[in-house]
């Protein structure tokens, strides 16, 4: 009767636990056959032999664009052209989106273990080709190869494994007890399902090309979405290499499509396409505003954004100064300062200000601006001439506004886009270098007297991506952490990125979160189902 019906409704779709375990084994076995052998015995590319690509990756194939339009990607160490990249036009975007839309019904119904197997295999393939991926990432972006390998790509691998874990049976709905609105007894079954949102348009930046690729692809695949992802026109090469690995990992045609092109053209076409259900963007606030408008005008698409920052680092007088200097160096100079959460406003308590400045100067002079392939290199060039000019202009502005240039401030070398590690002291809150995102190796050190003052000044910004605190007093640290309006707070550390921890900002630093369980939310819809179980003979 009613009890049997209720039990059948509440039973998982996979059936009993034993039945589910059998199905999981069968699904994993089937998924393992979808890709090629990791050692290359069944056609996988040998280690380090992934072909360089300049075409578009659509429906699991590299294809030529329709319009004959290309753009250059350059080596930032010397400004020389690496390759001409095919730019996706309107017909190409349409083809990619339609491929993703066609693949969505079957991929969204694919069981979790199959999606997990594809993600695990993609991670394993990145591990297999890690040296080649790091070399190309370094070539196209300018970051030191050893950092690309041991930081960026290691994080990518962890992200794919992490979201494979979510795909494998952990994305679940829930039963919701409900009651009748009147005195009449009712026998209700109410439950919530989590379903993939659909076809996703994803636009990623140039500062961490492979990492941002994984932050977008990982949760989307785990949720059962299909995607059209646009790489940055400044750093398209490693994103295209991922096409080889995606196909080999066993992702079906159309599930992941990779396009190259500029934001105002290719990016705008993706956002406005009628078959796109959701947009994810990482980049500048100016571009995000345009995306939000375009998404609203083309069907009120769901949008998540991860944007810029002007993150404060508060160094208290009781801090371990040796540790604080290392925190400040990493927080600002990581990736030549091209990091959205960079600790670009360093507030130092008055009594230790001079000591901190002296140590910061000494530490910055230890930077090694070398060939990014050199394992001793600690700082590479800026990504391109546009970014280089932007940073140099901010340095000139800082000097004109009255800040003291302690070190750096010039181009390093005679070619390429290298900027010396730069430190400004005597910085005031109303200076442009203290208010605007520079996105380069420019450290601004400010002085404060009281913690209340530091909190107020730290929060006086339109951004809210991150913040740092250096103190040995845990009570003080947590008080500051709770009062600063930012998405991630680091205490006695900085730039700790891990797939388990959500990342995103307050205010103009974005909407939504990436990574962690929260990173799945943007790719899932919540559906409520209510059923009347009452029955009369």
């Amino acid at each position: 009767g009613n009890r049997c019906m209720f039990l059948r409704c509440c039973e998982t779709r996979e059936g009993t636990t034993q039945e589910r375990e059998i199905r999981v084994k069968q699904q994993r076995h089937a998924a393992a056959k979808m890709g090629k052998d990791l050692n290359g015995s069944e056609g996988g590319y040998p280690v380090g032999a992934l072909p360089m690509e300049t075409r578009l990756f659509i429906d699991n194939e590299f294809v030529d664009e329709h319009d004959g339009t290309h753009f250059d990607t350059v080596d930032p160490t010397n400004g020389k052209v690496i390759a001409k990249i095919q730019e996706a036009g309107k017909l190409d975007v349409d083809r990619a989106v339609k491929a993703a839309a066609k693949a969505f019904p079957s991929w969204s119904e694919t069981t979790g273990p199959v999606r997990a197997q594809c993600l695990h295999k993609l991670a394993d393939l990145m591990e297999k080709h890690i040296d080649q991926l790091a070399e190309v990432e370094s070539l196209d972006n300018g970051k030191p190869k050893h950092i690309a390998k041991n930081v960026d790509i290691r994080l990518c691998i962890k992200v794919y494994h992490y979201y494979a874990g979510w795909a494998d049976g952990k994305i679940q709905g829930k039963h919701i007890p409900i009651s009748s609105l009147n005195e009449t007894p009712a026998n209700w079954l109410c439950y919530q399902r989590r379903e993939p949102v659909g076809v996703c348009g994803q636009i990623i930046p140039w500062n961490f090309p492979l990492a941002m690729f994984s932050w977008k692809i990982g949760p989307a695949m785990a949720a059962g979405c299909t995607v059209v992802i646009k790489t940055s026109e400044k750093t398209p090469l490693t994103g295209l290499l991922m096409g080889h690995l995606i196909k080999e990992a066993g992702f079906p045609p159309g599930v992941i499509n990779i396009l190259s092109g500029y934001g105002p053209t290719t990016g705008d076409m993706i956002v406005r396409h009628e078959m796109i259900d959701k947009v994810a963007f990482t980049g500048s606030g100016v571009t995000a505003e345009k995306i939000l408008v375009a998404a609203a005008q083309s069907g009120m698409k769901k949008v998540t954004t991860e944007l810029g920052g002007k993150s404060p680092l508060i160094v208290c007088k009781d801090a371990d100064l040796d540790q604080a200097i290392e925190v400040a160096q990493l927080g600002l100079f990581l990736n030549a300062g091209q990091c959205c959460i960079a600790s670009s406003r360093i507030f130092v308590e008055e009594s230790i200000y001079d000591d901190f400045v002296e140590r910061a100067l000494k530490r910055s002079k230890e930077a090694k601006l070398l060939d990014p392939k050199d394992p001793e290199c600690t700082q590479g060039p800026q990504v391109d001439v546009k970014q280089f000019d932007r940073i140099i202009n901010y340095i000139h502005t800082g000097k004109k506004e009255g800040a003291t240039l302690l070190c750096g401030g010039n181009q390093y070398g005679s070619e390429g886009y290298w900027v010396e590690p730069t430190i400004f002291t005597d910085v005031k809150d109303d200076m442009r270098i203290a208010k605007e995102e520079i996105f380069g190796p420019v450290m601004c050190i400010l002085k404060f007297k009281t913690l209340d003052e530091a909190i107020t000044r730290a929060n006086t910004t339109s951004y809210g991506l991150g913040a740092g605190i250096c103190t040995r007093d845990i009570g003080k640290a947590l008080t500051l952490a709770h009062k600063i309006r930012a998405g991630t707070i680091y205490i006695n550390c900085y730039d700790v990125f891990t797939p388990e921890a959500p990342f995103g900002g307050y205010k103009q630093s974005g909407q939504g979160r990436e990574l962690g369980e929260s990173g799945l939310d943007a790719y899932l819809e919540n559906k409520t189902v209510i059923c009347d179980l009452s029955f009369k003979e």
Side-chain angles (χ1 to χ4, degrees):
N2 290 348
R3 176 175 173 79
C4 293
M5 182 178 178
F6 178 79
L7 289 174
R8 284 196 300 271
C9 290
C10 291
E11 197 171 47
T12 63
R13 292 177 64 187
E14 287 82 2
T16 65
T17 301
Q18 184 177 9
E19 289 171 345
R20 183 178 183 277
E21 289 175 353
I22 293 172
R23 286 194 177 93
V24 167
K25 291 179 181 179
Q26 292 172 338
Q27 291 157 358
R28 284 178 174 162
H29 177 71
K33 295 175 67 178
M34 292 172 69
K36 298 175 182 177
D37 184 78
L38 294 182
N39 296 321
S41 60
E42 294 181 13
Y45 290 105
V47 173
L50 296 174
M52 291 288 286
E53 269 296 346
T54 62
R55 296 175 291 173
L56 313 174
F57 185 73
I58 300 174
D59 224 9
N60 264 13
E61 300 293 339
F62 284 101
V63 298
D64 290 315
E65 46 74 38
H66 283 84
D67 301 332
T69 308
H70 300 70
F71 62 90
D72 294 336
T73 185
V74 302
D75 180 347
T77 65
N78 55 32
K80 295 179 180 178
V81 175
I82 302 170
K84 289 188 176 296
I85 307 299
Q86 296 192 20
E87 180 180 0
K90 184 175 182 179
L91 292 176
D92 306 306
V93 170
D94 188 59
R95 180 180 176 184
V97 174
K98 286 180 177 177
K102 181 180 179 182
F104 176 71
S106 58
W107 178 249
S108 64
E109 294 181 359
T110 301
T111 55
V114 173
R115 298 199 297 273
Q117 180 70 27
C118 291
L119 284 166
H120 280 311
K121 194 163 187 180
L122 183 60
D124 291 340
L125 286 168
M126 289 195 76
E127 182 77 51
K128 174 183 174 180
H129 294 283
I130 191 169
D131 286 310
Q132 182 183 2
L133 291 170
E135 183 174 351
V136 177
E137 187 91 329
S138 175
L139 172 67
D140 209 17
N141 171 276
K143 66 180 63 191
K145 178 184 174 182
H146 68 94
I147 293 177
K149 176 180 178 178
N150 297 315
V151 179
D152 295 37
I153 300 176
R154 292 294 178 195
L155 174 60
C156 296
I157 292 169
K158 289 181 66 177
V159 168
Y160 290 128
H161 282 311
Y162 173 78
Y163 280 111
W166 274 105
D168 198 356
K170 296 182 180 64
I171 299 175
Q172 301 172 345
K174 61 181 179 180
H175 170 246
I176 305 171
I178 62 174
S179 59
S180 174
L181 296 178
N182 51 45
E183 299 297 326
T184 306
N187 187 11
W188 302 106
L189 169 65
C190 177
Y191 62 93
Q192 184 183 76
R193 285 171 52 84
R194 307 209 72 190
E195 299 180 352
V197 71
V199 179
C200 302
Q202 302 176 321
I203 302 173
I204 60 174
W206 47 263
N207 54 340
F208 297 96
L210 283 172
M212 295 298 98
F213 194 99
S214 71
W215 289 25
K216 297 289 188 291
I217 293 295
M221 293 301 100
C225 297
T226 57
V227 307
V228 176
I229 185 167
K230 188 195 83 67
T231 58
S232 170
E233 70 278 4
K234 301 178 191 291
T235 54
L237 293 179
T238 47
L240 291 172
L241 283 180
M242 290 299 294
H244 295 298
L245 306 188
I246 285 163
K247 185 173 182 178
E248 188 175 345
F251 289 96
V255 172
I256 302 175
N257 304 274
I258 306 167
L259 302 182
S260 307
Y262 292 91
T265 51
T266 307
D268 187 68
M269 294 172 197
I270 292 172
V271 173
R272 291 181 180 276
H273 198 286
E274 61 183 6
M275 291 184 176
I276 292 290
D277 299 298
K278 178 258 187 302
V279 176
F281 170 73
T282 298
S284 73
V286 172
T287 302
E289 289 179 10
K290 297 175 182 177
I291 287 174
L292 289 166
V293 170
Q297 291 175 343
S298 57
M300 294 297 291
K301 298 179 176 71
K302 298 176 181 297
V303 180
T304 52
T305 59
E306 191 268 284
L307 309 176
K310 195 67 180 174
S311 301
L313 171 63
I314 298 174
V315 182
C316 301
K317 62 184 179 183
D318 63 347
D320 179 332
L321 272 188
D322 289 335
Q323 181 186 58
I325 289 297
E326 293 307 311
V327 169
Q329 287 287 315
L330 177 63
L332 191 281
F333 292 113
L334 174 72
N335 206 37
Q338 299 169 137
C339 184
C340 52
I341 201 172
S343 56
S344 50
R345 293 185 296 151
I346 301 179
F347 293 94
V348 181
E349 199 156 358
E350 189 174 43
S351 62
I352 61 167
Y353 184 85
D354 292 341
D355 192 5
F356 181 92
V357 167
E358 181 180 346
R359 293 178 186 228
L361 175 60
K362 179 181 178 181
R363 182 67 178 82
S364 294
K365 288 183 176 180
E366 297 172 1
K368 296 180 180 180
L369 282 67
L370 305 170
D371 184 334
K373 293 190 290 292
D374 191 322
E376 296 298 315
C377 176
T378 62
Q379 180 181 320
Q382 312 312 129
V383 72
D384 66 0
V385 67
K386 182 178 179 180
Q387 187 63 18
F388 171 85
D389 289 342
R390 171 188 172 92
I391 295 164
I392 295 298
N393 286 336
Y394 269 114
I395 291 171
H396 291 327
T397 298
K399 290 190 288 186
K400 288 179 182 178
E401 290 182 324
T404 300
L405 180 63
L406 192 64
C407 69
N410 300 304
Q411 179 178 10
Y412 178 83
S414 59
E415 63 176 5
Y417 312 123
W418 305 76
V419 177
E420 295 174 338
T422 300
I423 298 178
F424 277 107
T425 58
D426 303 315
V427 179
K428 307 302 180 185
D429 291 346
D430 60 351
M431 293 179 178
R432 286 183 61 198
I433 59 172
K435 295 191 298 182
E436 299 175 15
E437 187 176 33
I438 300 173
F439 226 62
V442 181
M443 178 181 286
C444 297
I445 308 179
L446 303 91
K447 188 184 299 183
F448 76 90
K449 293 182 179 180
T450 68
L451 289 181
D452 285 342
E453 173 199 339
I455 293 168
T456 299
R457 293 169 66 191
N459 285 331
T460 305
T461 174
S462 59
Y463 296 109
L465 190 57
I469 301 159
C470 290
T471 175
R472 305 316 299 173
D473 184 333
I474 189 62
K476 183 189 298 181
L478 294 179
T479 297
L480 287 167
H482 294 173
K483 291 186 176 182
I484 295 173
R485 293 183 55 75
T488 298
I489 308 294
Y490 296 111
I491 299 175
N492 296 323
C493 61
Y494 213 88
D495 285 333
V496 178
F497 303 111
T498 178
E500 300 87 355
F503 185 86
Y506 287 30
K507 297 183 277 188
Q508 291 185 28
S509 288
Q511 300 175 343
R513 292 294 181 269
E514 295 191 301
L515 300 182
E517 182 178 2
S518 300
L520 286 165
D521 291 341
Y523 297 95
L524 292 166
E525 294 279 17
N526 291 314
K527 175 182 285 184
T528 300
V529 179
I530 302 174
C531 177
D532 184 353
L533 297 180
S534 60
F535 176 76
K536 294 182 179 179
E537 292 288 351

